[in-house]
Amino acid sequence: MQTKEKGRYHHGDLQTTLLRSARVLLEQDGIAALKLRAITRHAGVSATAAAPYFGNLAGLLSVLAAQGFDELTEAMSPPHAPLARDVGLAYIRFAIANPGLFTLMFRSDAINRTDAHLVAASERAFGRLAALPGPEKSGTTQAATMAARWGKAHGLAVLAIDGLLQPLTDNGDTCMTLDQLVSEAFR
Amino acid sequence: MQTKEKGRYHHGDLQTTLLRSARVLLEQDGIAALKLRAITRHAGVSATAAAPYFGNLAGLLSVLAAQGFDELTEAMSPPHAPLARDVGLAYIRFAIANPGLFTLMFRSDAINRTDAHLVAASERAFGRLAALPGPEKSGTTQAATMAARWGKAHGLAVLAIDGLLQPLTDNGDTCMTLDQLVSEAFR
DNA sequence: CCGCTGACTTTACACTGTAAAAATTACTTG
DNA sequence: CAAGTAATTTTTACAGTGTAAAGTCAGCGG
């Protein structure tokens, strides 16, 4: 269970160990498992060991969320020519692949939205979506097309994570997978 | 502060009083204020008075969420001929007008998603979005157009509540309001 | 060897939700 | 009207939670 080397009083890099423990718990049991005591217990340290590094629980989760935004940015960086559709689909697929992390990234009451690193990481990720050429609909602001694309991707991501798109996958006669549904819906 | 008539031991309809207190706290201070003790204190009763009626906190919040879905259904019921665009905009505007309630309605870890009343109320609301004729895009499943419309509306709603669309409203040279942005983005 | 600095732990406290028992009121039945 | 019963709320208690303050330990420079 404990990732800390046994017997050592000074841990070395407790910072990253705590973040990894939090990540493990998040992926295992979801956001509800992100208690400070559970994280430190998993890391093999005392309950208040995170305070010197992260201040409080929100501080730790903010760093975790910032890591999530960095990974999202990475996932939205296509190797070749990026199409708006591919980037949006990458957004949705990242959310489905990392439901707990993605949910945390938008839980304003669990993280510290004013944290500098988090703001930078999130703006980097949002920039990937914004910097793409839209379909050039006449009569629509560029901000509106950006909001439309982002909103569609984000909504499909959230609804998919919550399992609310499940009834739509086996609608009618044919049965489709979740990825097929969101791929077809996002265009 | 207390809505309970003073001196009476038996309250009469503590059920609705607790729900109203929860609603007030939710709109005043957001989801973080939905503690059981704060709700009962606001209602003027003891801390455990809600248990006989709602079982636990999740039970109370589930009823509150169900009320929210009923109000959303009402808001999405246009007086005359309903267009898909109008219903989706009503969805977004309800979320912006009731940010705390809307957020609660989709917090799966705070409410009891298997609650019968909540399931019924949410399906009633979701049915309003589904029962509309789509733009008849050739080559797309009806489930996909439904998911696309719902996802777009839901995503814009969530992003607007989180304040993430704010930077897009004053983009470039002109300055637009949030309602203008979502109205233009949702079509 | 001594003290010092940093890293972590121990202790303590104010909260939280909730289960069980007690107390209070209202109703109902004779 | 009186008394027993049922319904409703409170009191008490307990296991958790996050976090601030004080204490403890390891390693290092003098």
Side-chain angles (χ1 to χ4, degrees), chain B residues 9-10 34-37 41 47-48 55-58:
Chain B
Y9 194 97
H10 285 38
L34 287 182
K35 319 273 186 191
L36 196 45
R37 282 177 143 94
R41 197 182 314 137
T48 64
N56 50 14
L57 175 62

Side-chain angles (χ1 to χ4, degrees), chain B residues 25 33 64 72 93 96 99 107-108 119 122 137 142-143:
Chain B
L25 291 174
L64 199 61
L72 174 60
R93 286 182 175 137
I96 295 178
R107 279 260 162 125
S108 307
V119 170
S122 64
K137 256 191 198 171
Q142 188 168 359

